[in-house]
Structures are given as C-alpha cells and as structure tokens.
Amino acid sequence: MKSHPHPERPDRLRAIAASLATAGIFPGRCYPIPAREITQQELQMVHSLEHVQAVELTSRIFSSYFTPDTYANEHSACAARLAAGLCADLASAIFSGPAKNGFALVRPPGHHAGIKQAMGFCLHNNAAIAALAAQVAGAKKVLIVDWDVHHGNGTQEIFEQNKSVLYISLHRHEGGKFYPGTGAVNEIGTEAAEFAPDFTIISAGFDAARGDPLGCCDVTPAGYAQMTHMLYTICRGKLLVILEGGYNLRSISSSATAVIKVLLGESSEFELGNTVPSKAGLQTVLEVLKIQMHHWSSLESSFAKLQSQWEAYCSENKSEKFPVLTINFSVRVKWLMV
Ligand SMILES: [Zn+2]
C-alpha cells in the first residue's frame, strides 16, 4: 500500500544507490560482483530443511505471512537467495584476496532469521551464511559485530554453540521491552574465550541512526564511520559490511555512504568532538563489563578504571552528562565493543 509502505521496502536500496552515485563512489570507485542464488545445500548449513522449504513455498503464492510484519510475495524467496548468495561470495572474495573489503547492499535483511524461523523482515540469515562462506574459504575465527538497533536473535541462536564465531550485538533492550525482547546483558554465550578473529563481518543496520522511525536513537553518519574505522584494523582490513535494517531513507543513505568511504580508505574527520555519553548509557556499559570481564580477562582493567571514574564523577554530583571516555581493549581479543 503506497500510503502505508512497509518499512522494509525496495526504496531503501534505491536511496543508498543514489547517494553512492552522487558521491561518485558507485559507479566509479567500487566494483560490483554478480549476485548468484545461494544453493539449498549452503542454506542448510545455517537453517533447517523445514525453514528452507517454507521460504521456497512462498514463491508459489501471491502473498504469505511468516509473522504479522514479515511477509513474502512470489519474488521474495528469489530475492533472499540472491542476497545470501552475494554475501557468501563477497565473504570468500574478501578472505581469499580478490576483494579488499566489501559492502553487501542487499535485502531482505537477515539477522532475525534463526535456524528454524523467519521473523523481523528476515528470511535467510545473510551474515551467518557469509561467516560460514568465509570459513569455507579458510577463515578460522569470524567476528560478527551487529550494530542494528535490534538484537540479532537469529545470528545469536545460529552460533550459540559455535566457538569459532564470536557474535557481539549492540542494541536497544530496555529490560526486554524493545523488539525482539532478547539480548539481555547476561546472554553471554556458551563458548566464551579470548578471541582473535581473522575475518570480520558487520551486520550493519542503520536503524539506530538519527531520524529512524523504528529505532529512535541518535547515531550520526560520523558515528557509523567511527565504528567502521575501529573495526577496520582488526583483521588487516578483511571486513564485510552487510546491510540489515534502517528505515529512514535519508539516514540510511548518508550512513551507508559514510561507512563505504571508510572502506575506501578515506581518513575522515569523525566530528565526534562534543559527543558525551549519557549517564544511562555509561551505566549500561558498566553493567555489561561487570559480566563480560569474567569471560574476557582483557576487560578487567577497563572495568576497574571505568568504575572508579564513574564513582568519582557521581560523588561530585555534577550534571547528567559524563565526560567522554574511550575504552580500548587491546589484549588478544584485540578489540571489543560494549
Ligand atoms: Zn533493526
């Protein structure tokens, strides 16, 4: 319905492509790789046969609903196969060498799709399929950082028992009241150990961007560029960025363009000068560190330092704002965002 368009719609890709063209990035400075349909065998490395078949069935029906907000038309299954196929090929091209890094401009998104179910606009889990493709190409340990405003419950479920893939999600949670309700601070995984990845994937939703109607957060293009820059160095630049959510066309266009500029090696001024975290944000970081430091010894000193700064600040009883703090973790994990 044009008057009430579904937020996850083709205009999202058109808007980003137009922004890249205006910036002279594509066409011009990036090379396209052809999208191929992922095979059933590859899909079954991540999803159950029943799930793969359920998605395929939708190609015979004008419209199908997996959940009230996750629908498919007769072309959706093909689009999902192409999205997953492109992510897999881009992952192996980056790991094996022909591509330096890459941005997968794909839809439907993937991070809510679990082993057995489609949900949250997602049919197949593109990031999970890309991680396994990188491993087939030779990667031993893959890091997936998911900065979509929603918890990637599907990606977490798929890799919960897999110690060769580390999944880190940054998302709104609010005591489980924010969709999909999972991703609490104590969901720490079952195979935690110090980690040194050789391939990095970003599940890049831009629905935490300033102006997004679903996320209602305030991340700027400079913020996304900064996060990309921080992740860029972990695996000697072997970085695959996969589009997930993001529903304000202007916000996703400027954010994706800022991220791709970092991938192209542009050293930008991130303009984060006066940005200060809120008290609530800092409390959340401390809460996460308090739990995670029992599983990552590299975090112990960071927690102690932040905790003492926090206490000193609170005792002075100043304003709601906290001074800017940079947390760098540089032991074997190399870098961990909380
Ligand atoms: Zn999202």
Side-chain angles (χ1 to χ4, degrees):
M1 298 288 285
K2 288 265 179 192
S3 56
H4 295 92
H6 192 284
E8 205 294 280
R9 59 195 193 275
D11 288 344
R12 298 175 63 232
L13 300 193
R14 293 190 189 111
I16 295 175
S19 171
L20 296 177
T22 303
I25 290 173
F26 183 78
R29 299 174 62 197
C30 300
Y31 294 95
I33 68 165
R36 62 144 178 120
E37 293 183 31
I38 196 93
T39 65
Q40 181 161 324
Q41 193 181 12
E42 287 170 292
L43 283 175
Q44 281 185 249
M45 291 168 72
V46 165
H47 298 292
S48 67
L49 176 62
E50 292 73 22
H51 170 75
V52 175
Q53 288 173 336
V55 174
E56 284 315 306
L57 259 182
T58 62
S59 62
R60 299 191 207 153
I61 306 165
F62 177 69
S63 97
S64 324
Y65 281 80
F66 290 98
T67 68
D69 63 3
T70 307
Y71 74 94
N73 65 21
E74 67 267 48
H75 305 297
S76 303
C78 180
R81 284 197 302 273
L82 286 168
L86 182 109
C87 290
D89 286 355
L90 196 45
S92 53
I94 294 166
F95 189 81
S96 308
K100 191 178 167 201
N101 53 49
F103 190 101
L105 185 55
V106 293
R107 56 179 291 275
H111 72 152
H112 294 303
I115 296 169
K116 297 179 186 169
Q117 84 282 350
M119 67 177 278
F121 318 159
C122 303
L123 302 183
H124 297 320
N125 196 307
N126 301 321
I129 288 162
L132 294 189
Q135 292 190 324
V136 168
K140 300 240 172 335
K141 287 189 274 184
V142 178
L143 168 66
I144 301 175
V145 175
D146 185 336
W147 70 41
D148 188 284
V149 80
H150 303 99
H151 176 231
N153 56 306
T155 314
Q156 178 170 306
E157 181 197 27
I158 289 163
F159 294 119
E160 191 106 58
Q161 306 291 331
N162 185 338
K163 64 180 177 184
S164 69
V165 177
L166 173 63
Y167 176 66
I168 301 174
S169 178
L170 290 77
H171 52 269
R172 279 180 70 178
H173 183 252
E174 293 166 26
K177 293 196 186 99
F178 195 76
Y179 186 90
T182 49
V185 68
N186 59 356
E187 292 181 31
I188 48 97
T190 56
E191 299 282 352
E194 301 284 331
F195 201 79
D198 47 10
F199 192 74
T200 304
I201 294 171
I202 302 176
S203 263
F206 296 112
D207 42 10
R210 178 176 291 175
D212 189 275
L214 272 64
C216 305
C217 290
D218 201 30
V219 182
T220 59
Y224 285 115
Q226 171 71 23
M227 291 197 288
T228 308
H229 183 72
M230 293 167 85
L231 289 163
Y232 191 79
T233 51
I234 295 178
C235 302
R236 302 183 314 283
K238 290 194 181 299
L239 177 60
L240 167 60
V241 184
I242 298 176
L243 182 67
E244 296 281 1
Y247 307 101
N248 177 312
L249 300 184
R250 198 173 295 178
S251 305
I252 62 174
S253 302
S254 52
S255 302
T257 303
V259 167
I260 293 172
K261 281 184 177 174
V262 175
L263 296 183
L264 287 167
E266 282 190 21
S267 57
S268 55
E269 300 298 323
F270 297 120
E271 297 165 6
L272 297 173
N274 293 323
T275 310
V276 291
S278 66
K279 229 173 174 178
L282 258 298
Q283 272 175 330
T284 302
V285 171
L286 276 170
E287 200 181 332
V288 171
L289 282 177
K290 200 172 183 176
I291 290 175
Q292 291 289 346
M293 69 179 182
H294 297 300
H295 307 278
W296 305 88
S297 59
S298 50
L299 296 180
E300 285 169 22
S301 59
S302 301
F303 175 78
K305 192 174 158 195
L306 191 59
Q307 177 77 14
S308 65
Q309 286 178 316
W310 171 253
E311 283 163 9
Y313 183 77
C314 289
S315 66
E316 288 172 26
N317 200 19
K318 287 183 183 167
S319 69
E320 280 294 297
K321 295 290 185 183
F322 198 80
V324 174
L325 288 170
T326 306
I327 307 171
N328 289 313
F329 306 110
S330 58
V331 195
R332 284 182 55 212
V333 64
K334 293 187 181 171
W335 185 84
L336 174 64
M337 179 176 259
V338 291

PDB file of all heavy atoms in Angstrom, residues 1 9 16 18 31 40 73 77 84 86 98 109 151 174 196 212 255 259 263 266 271 274-275 326 332 334:
ATOM      1  N   MET A   1       0.856  -1.185   0.000  1.00  0.00           N
ATOM      2  CA  MET A   1       0.000   0.000   0.000  1.00  0.00           C
ATOM      3  C   MET A   1       0.892   1.236   0.000  1.00  0.00           C
ATOM      4  O   MET A   1       1.640   1.466   0.945  1.00  0.00           O
ATOM      5  CB  MET A   1      -0.898  -0.009   1.233  1.00  0.00           C
ATOM      6  CG  MET A   1      -1.847  -1.197   1.287  1.00  0.00           C
ATOM      7  SD  MET A   1      -3.172  -1.092   0.101  1.00  0.00           S
ATOM      8  CE  MET A   1      -4.204   0.150   0.881  1.00  0.00           C
ATOM      9  N   ARG A   9      11.452  -1.896   2.360  1.00  0.00           N
ATOM     10  CA  ARG A   9      10.934  -1.813   1.001  1.00  0.00           C
ATOM     11  C   ARG A   9      12.052  -1.497   0.006  1.00  0.00           C
ATOM     12  O   ARG A   9      13.132  -1.030   0.406  1.00  0.00           O
ATOM     13  CB  ARG A   9       9.848  -0.750   0.939  1.00  0.00           C
ATOM     14  CG  ARG A   9      10.300   0.637   1.333  1.00  0.00           C
ATOM     15  CD  ARG A   9       9.075   1.528   1.601  1.00  0.00           C
ATOM     16  NE  ARG A   9       9.427   2.942   1.692  1.00  0.00           N
ATOM     17  CZ  ARG A   9       9.863   3.541   2.794  1.00  0.00           C
ATOM     18  NH1 ARG A   9      10.061   2.831   3.894  1.00  0.00           N
ATOM     19  NH2 ARG A   9      10.118   4.823   2.801  1.00  0.00           N
ATOM     20  N   ILE A  16      20.071   4.368  -1.174  1.00  0.00           N
ATOM     21  CA  ILE A  16      21.511   4.231  -0.896  1.00  0.00           C
ATOM     22  C   ILE A  16      22.300   4.277  -2.208  1.00  0.00           C
ATOM     23  O   ILE A  16      23.332   4.951  -2.317  1.00  0.00           O
ATOM     24  CB  ILE A  16      21.805   2.939  -0.112  1.00  0.00           C
ATOM     25  CG1 ILE A  16      21.159   3.005   1.275  1.00  0.00           C
ATOM     26  CG2 ILE A  16      23.311   2.710   0.017  1.00  0.00           C
ATOM     27  CD1 ILE A  16      21.273   1.727   2.092  1.00  0.00           C
ATOM     28  N   ALA A  18      21.498   5.765  -4.960  1.00  0.00           N
ATOM     29  CA  ALA A  18      21.505   7.141  -5.474  1.00  0.00           C
ATOM     30  C   ALA A  18      22.531   7.986  -4.713  1.00  0.00           C
ATOM     31  O   ALA A  18      23.249   8.794  -5.308  1.00  0.00           O
ATOM     32  CB  ALA A  18      20.106   7.747  -5.341  1.00  0.00           C
ATOM     33  N   TYR A  31      33.754  -1.863  -7.299  1.00  0.00           N
ATOM     34  CA  TYR A  31      33.415  -2.821  -8.344  1.00  0.00           C
ATOM     35  C   TYR A  31      32.237  -3.679  -7.890  1.00  0.00           C
ATOM     36  O   TYR A  31      32.224  -4.134  -6.749  1.00  0.00           O
ATOM     37  CB  TYR A  31      34.603  -3.744  -8.648  1.00  0.00           C
ATOM     38  CG  TYR A  31      35.758  -3.012  -9.261  1.00  0.00           C
ATOM     39  CD1 TYR A  31      36.799  -2.546  -8.473  1.00  0.00           C
ATOM     40  CD2 TYR A  31      35.789  -2.771 -10.636  1.00  0.00           C
ATOM     41  CE1 TYR A  31      37.865  -1.854  -9.029  1.00  0.00           C
ATOM     42  CE2 TYR A  31      36.852  -2.077 -11.198  1.00  0.00           C
ATOM     43  CZ  TYR A  31      37.884  -1.624 -10.397  1.00  0.00           C
ATOM     44  OH  TYR A  31      38.928  -0.928 -10.938  1.00  0.00           O
ATOM     45  N   GLN A  40      20.603 -24.707  -1.968  1.00  0.00           N
ATOM     46  CA  GLN A  40      19.900 -25.279  -0.818  1.00  0.00           C
ATOM     47  C   GLN A  40      20.893 -25.887   0.167  1.00  0.00           C
ATOM     48  O   GLN A  40      20.731 -25.787   1.379  1.00  0.00           O
ATOM     49  CB  GLN A  40      18.898 -26.338  -1.291  1.00  0.00           C
ATOM     50  CG  GLN A  40      18.133 -26.952  -0.148  1.00  0.00           C
ATOM     51  CD  GLN A  40      16.869 -27.638  -0.603  1.00  0.00           C
ATOM     52  OE1 GLN A  40      16.200 -27.177  -1.518  1.00  0.00           O
ATOM     53  NE2 GLN A  40      16.543 -28.753   0.027  1.00  0.00           N
ATOM     54  N   ASN A  73       6.211 -12.058  -1.014  1.00  0.00           N
ATOM     55  CA  ASN A  73       5.417 -12.225  -2.228  1.00  0.00           C
ATOM     56  C   ASN A  73       6.089 -13.321  -3.066  1.00  0.00           C
ATOM     57  O   ASN A  73       7.029 -13.974  -2.598  1.00  0.00           O
ATOM     58  CB  ASN A  73       5.237 -10.899  -2.969  1.00  0.00           C
ATOM     59  CG  ASN A  73       6.555 -10.340  -3.496  1.00  0.00           C
ATOM     60  OD1 ASN A  73       7.526 -11.079  -3.665  1.00  0.00           O
ATOM     61  ND2 ASN A  73       6.588  -9.044  -3.738  1.00  0.00           N
ATOM     62  N   ALA A  77      11.426 -15.131  -2.162  1.00  0.00           N
ATOM     63  CA  ALA A  77      12.358 -16.249  -1.949  1.00  0.00           C
ATOM     64  C   ALA A  77      13.569 -16.103  -2.861  1.00  0.00           C
ATOM     65  O   ALA A  77      14.714 -16.343  -2.444  1.00  0.00           O
ATOM     66  CB  ALA A  77      11.651 -17.580  -2.200  1.00  0.00           C
ATOM     67  N   ALA A  84      21.620 -13.774  -0.026  1.00  0.00           N
ATOM     68  CA  ALA A  84      22.518 -14.694   0.696  1.00  0.00           C
ATOM     69  C   ALA A  84      23.686 -15.122  -0.189  1.00  0.00           C
ATOM     70  O   ALA A  84      24.834 -15.225   0.275  1.00  0.00           O
ATOM     71  CB  ALA A  84      21.728 -15.908   1.174  1.00  0.00           C
ATOM     72  N   LEU A  86      25.065 -13.453  -2.638  1.00  0.00           N
ATOM     73  CA  LEU A  86      26.014 -12.350  -2.773  1.00  0.00           C
ATOM     74  C   LEU A  86      26.879 -12.216  -1.515  1.00  0.00           C
ATOM     75  O   LEU A  86      28.098 -12.042  -1.594  1.00  0.00           O
ATOM     76  CB  LEU A  86      25.288 -11.035  -3.043  1.00  0.00           C
ATOM     77  CG  LEU A  86      26.282  -9.895  -3.222  1.00  0.00           C
ATOM     78  CD1 LEU A  86      26.335  -9.427  -4.669  1.00  0.00           C
ATOM     79  CD2 LEU A  86      25.996  -8.753  -2.309  1.00  0.00           C
ATOM     80  N   PRO A  98      40.787 -11.395  -3.807  1.00  0.00           N
ATOM     81  CA  PRO A  98      40.440 -10.501  -4.925  1.00  0.00           C
ATOM     82  C   PRO A  98      39.788  -9.189  -4.491  1.00  0.00           C
ATOM     83  O   PRO A  98      40.013  -8.162  -5.113  1.00  0.00           O
ATOM     84  CB  PRO A  98      39.454 -11.330  -5.759  1.00  0.00           C
ATOM     85  CG  PRO A  98      39.601 -12.733  -5.313  1.00  0.00           C
ATOM     86  CD  PRO A  98      40.184 -12.716  -3.932  1.00  0.00           C
ATOM     87  N   PRO A 109      16.782  -8.198   4.845  1.00  0.00           N
ATOM     88  CA  PRO A 109      17.835  -8.351   5.849  1.00  0.00           C
ATOM     89  C   PRO A 109      17.829  -9.759   6.436  1.00  0.00           C
ATOM     90  O   PRO A 109      17.010 -10.600   6.044  1.00  0.00           O
ATOM     91  CB  PRO A 109      17.458  -7.306   6.907  1.00  0.00           C
ATOM     92  CG  PRO A 109      15.990  -7.118   6.762  1.00  0.00           C
ATOM     93  CD  PRO A 109      15.670  -7.367   5.317  1.00  0.00           C
ATOM     94  N   HIS A 151      18.284  -6.503  18.555  1.00  0.00           N
ATOM     95  CA  HIS A 151      19.138  -7.662  18.832  1.00  0.00           C
ATOM     96  C   HIS A 151      19.000  -8.682  17.695  1.00  0.00           C
ATOM     97  O   HIS A 151      17.892  -9.030  17.292  1.00  0.00           O
ATOM     98  CB  HIS A 151      18.706  -8.312  20.160  1.00  0.00           C
ATOM     99  CG  HIS A 151      19.454  -9.558  20.478  1.00  0.00           C
ATOM    100  ND1 HIS A 151      18.823 -10.744  20.812  1.00  0.00           N
ATOM    101  CD2 HIS A 151      20.778  -9.824  20.516  1.00  0.00           C
ATOM    102  CE1 HIS A 151      19.740 -11.670  21.051  1.00  0.00           C
ATOM    103  NE2 HIS A 151      20.930 -11.137  20.883  1.00  0.00           N
ATOM    104  N   GLU A 174      16.108  -2.451  26.857  1.00  0.00           N
ATOM    105  CA  GLU A 174      15.107  -1.898  27.761  1.00  0.00           C
ATOM    106  C   GLU A 174      14.356  -2.961  28.566  1.00  0.00           C
ATOM    107  O   GLU A 174      13.125  -3.040  28.554  1.00  0.00           O
ATOM    108  CB  GLU A 174      14.133  -1.023  26.972  1.00  0.00           C
ATOM    109  CG  GLU A 174      14.857   0.203  26.437  1.00  0.00           C
ATOM    110  CD  GLU A 174      14.089   0.958  25.368  1.00  0.00           C
ATOM    111  OE1 GLU A 174      12.858   0.872  25.371  1.00  0.00           O
ATOM    112  OE2 GLU A 174      14.744   1.617  24.562  1.00  0.00           O
ATOM    113  N   ALA A 196      40.682 -14.104  18.715  1.00  0.00           N
ATOM    114  CA  ALA A 196      41.476 -13.302  17.773  1.00  0.00           C
ATOM    115  C   ALA A 196      40.984 -13.634  16.365  1.00  0.00           C
ATOM    116  O   ALA A 196      41.481 -14.556  15.732  1.00  0.00           O
ATOM    117  CB  ALA A 196      42.954 -13.620  17.922  1.00  0.00           C
ATOM    118  N   ASP A 212      15.586   7.684  12.424  1.00  0.00           N
ATOM    119  CA  ASP A 212      14.926   6.424  12.088  1.00  0.00           C
ATOM    120  C   ASP A 212      13.612   6.292  12.861  1.00  0.00           C
ATOM    121  O   ASP A 212      13.578   6.488  14.078  1.00  0.00           O
ATOM    122  CB  ASP A 212      15.824   5.229  12.405  1.00  0.00           C
ATOM    123  CG  ASP A 212      15.238   3.932  11.855  1.00  0.00           C
ATOM    124  OD1 ASP A 212      14.392   3.317  12.526  1.00  0.00           O
ATOM    125  OD2 ASP A 212      15.606   3.567  10.722  1.00  0.00           O
ATOM    126  N   SER A 255      24.393   7.382   6.078  1.00  0.00           N
ATOM    127  CA  SER A 255      25.175   6.487   6.947  1.00  0.00           C
ATOM    128  C   SER A 255      25.955   5.469   6.125  1.00  0.00           C
ATOM    129  O   SER A 255      27.155   5.247   6.361  1.00  0.00           O
ATOM    130  CB  SER A 255      24.244   5.749   7.920  1.00  0.00           C
ATOM    131  OG  SER A 255      23.517   6.662   8.701  1.00  0.00           O
ATOM    132  N   VAL A 259      30.067   4.941   5.778  1.00  0.00           N
ATOM    133  CA  VAL A 259      30.753   3.667   6.045  1.00  0.00           C
ATOM    134  C   VAL A 259      31.616   3.259   4.859  1.00  0.00           C
ATOM    135  O   VAL A 259      32.781   2.855   5.001  1.00  0.00           O
ATOM    136  CB  VAL A 259      29.712   2.570   6.371  1.00  0.00           C
ATOM    137  CG1 VAL A 259      30.339   1.184   6.333  1.00  0.00           C
ATOM    138  CG2 VAL A 259      29.088   2.825   7.746  1.00  0.00           C
ATOM    139  N   LEU A 263      35.675   2.308   4.123  1.00  0.00           N
ATOM    140  CA  LEU A 263      36.167   1.097   3.449  1.00  0.00           C
ATOM    141  C   LEU A 263      37.106   1.467   2.301  1.00  0.00           C
ATOM    142  O   LEU A 263      38.027   0.724   1.972  1.00  0.00           O
ATOM    143  CB  LEU A 263      35.001   0.269   2.900  1.00  0.00           C
ATOM    144  CG  LEU A 263      34.014  -0.325   3.908  1.00  0.00           C
ATOM    145  CD1 LEU A 263      32.969  -1.180   3.204  1.00  0.00           C
ATOM    146  CD2 LEU A 263      34.724  -1.159   4.958  1.00  0.00           C
ATOM    147  N   GLU A 266      39.240   6.474   3.011  1.00  0.00           N
ATOM    148  CA  GLU A 266      39.208   7.920   3.247  1.00  0.00           C
ATOM    149  C   GLU A 266      39.359   8.184   4.738  1.00  0.00           C
ATOM    150  O   GLU A 266      38.590   7.665   5.543  1.00  0.00           O
ATOM    151  CB  GLU A 266      37.890   8.526   2.755  1.00  0.00           C
ATOM    152  CG  GLU A 266      37.855   8.701   1.262  1.00  0.00           C
ATOM    153  CD  GLU A 266      36.647   9.514   0.811  1.00  0.00           C
ATOM    154  OE1 GLU A 266      36.066  10.251   1.623  1.00  0.00           O
ATOM    155  OE2 GLU A 266      36.295   9.366  -0.377  1.00  0.00           O
ATOM    156  N   GLU A 271      34.273  14.116  13.614  1.00  0.00           N
ATOM    157  CA  GLU A 271      33.442  15.168  14.200  1.00  0.00           C
ATOM    158  C   GLU A 271      32.640  14.702  15.414  1.00  0.00           C
ATOM    159  O   GLU A 271      31.458  14.930  15.533  1.00  0.00           O
ATOM    160  CB  GLU A 271      32.470  15.724  13.155  1.00  0.00           C
ATOM    161  CG  GLU A 271      33.181  16.396  12.000  1.00  0.00           C
ATOM    162  CD  GLU A 271      32.254  16.614  10.810  1.00  0.00           C
ATOM    163  OE1 GLU A 271      31.054  16.351  10.950  1.00  0.00           O
ATOM    164  OE2 GLU A 271      32.748  17.035   9.763  1.00  0.00           O
ATOM    165  N   ASN A 274      32.182  17.003  20.643  1.00  0.00           N
ATOM    166  CA  ASN A 274      31.435  17.311  21.864  1.00  0.00           C
ATOM    167  C   ASN A 274      30.464  16.215  22.277  1.00  0.00           C
ATOM    168  O   ASN A 274      29.605  16.423  23.118  1.00  0.00           O
ATOM    169  CB  ASN A 274      30.663  18.621  21.675  1.00  0.00           C
ATOM    170  CG  ASN A 274      31.623  19.787  21.548  1.00  0.00           C
ATOM    171  OD1 ASN A 274      32.659  19.806  22.216  1.00  0.00           O
ATOM    172  ND2 ASN A 274      31.310  20.727  20.676  1.00  0.00           N
ATOM    173  N   THR A 275      30.570  15.052  21.656  1.00  0.00           N
ATOM    174  CA  THR A 275      29.627  13.987  21.974  1.00  0.00           C
ATOM    175  C   THR A 275      29.971  13.370  23.323  1.00  0.00           C
ATOM    176  O   THR A 275      31.095  12.945  23.544  1.00  0.00           O
ATOM    177  CB  THR A 275      29.682  12.884  20.906  1.00  0.00           C
ATOM    178  OG1 THR A 275      29.576  13.521  19.639  1.00  0.00           O
ATOM    179  CG2 THR A 275      28.565  11.895  21.076  1.00  0.00           C
ATOM    180  N   THR A 326      37.072   6.897  26.312  1.00  0.00           N
ATOM    181  CA  THR A 326      37.362   5.959  25.237  1.00  0.00           C
ATOM    182  C   THR A 326      37.816   4.666  25.874  1.00  0.00           C
ATOM    183  O   THR A 326      38.680   4.665  26.739  1.00  0.00           O
ATOM    184  CB  THR A 326      38.482   6.494  24.334  1.00  0.00           C
ATOM    185  OG1 THR A 326      38.096   7.791  23.911  1.00  0.00           O
ATOM    186  CG2 THR A 326      38.679   5.609  23.127  1.00  0.00           C
ATOM    187  N   ARG A 332      44.352 -10.080  23.601  1.00  0.00           N
ATOM    188  CA  ARG A 332      44.175 -10.987  22.473  1.00  0.00           C
ATOM    189  C   ARG A 332      42.860 -10.804  21.729  1.00  0.00           C
ATOM    190  O   ARG A 332      42.761 -11.076  20.566  1.00  0.00           O
ATOM    191  CB  ARG A 332      44.318 -12.434  22.941  1.00  0.00           C
ATOM    192  CG  ARG A 332      45.749 -12.802  23.167  1.00  0.00           C
ATOM    193  CD  ARG A 332      45.885 -14.237  23.591  1.00  0.00           C
ATOM    194  NE  ARG A 332      45.266 -15.144  22.661  1.00  0.00           N
ATOM    195  CZ  ARG A 332      44.709 -16.295  23.016  1.00  0.00           C
ATOM    196  NH1 ARG A 332      44.683 -16.638  24.286  1.00  0.00           N
ATOM    197  NH2 ARG A 332      44.186 -17.089  22.124  1.00  0.00           N
ATOM    198  N   LYS A 334      41.844  -8.193  20.900  1.00  0.00           N
ATOM    199  CA  LYS A 334      42.210  -7.071  20.042  1.00  0.00           C
ATOM    200  C   LYS A 334      41.261  -5.905  20.193  1.00  0.00           C
ATOM    201  O   LYS A 334      41.655  -4.784  20.355  1.00  0.00           O
ATOM    202  CB  LYS A 334      42.288  -7.478  18.569  1.00  0.00           C
ATOM    203  CG  LYS A 334      43.433  -8.424  18.303  1.00  0.00           C
ATOM    204  CD  LYS A 334      43.592  -8.681  16.842  1.00  0.00           C
ATOM    205  CE  LYS A 334      44.729  -9.664  16.612  1.00  0.00           C
ATOM    206  NZ  LYS A 334      44.797 -10.096  15.246  1.00  0.00           N
TER     207      LYS A 334
END
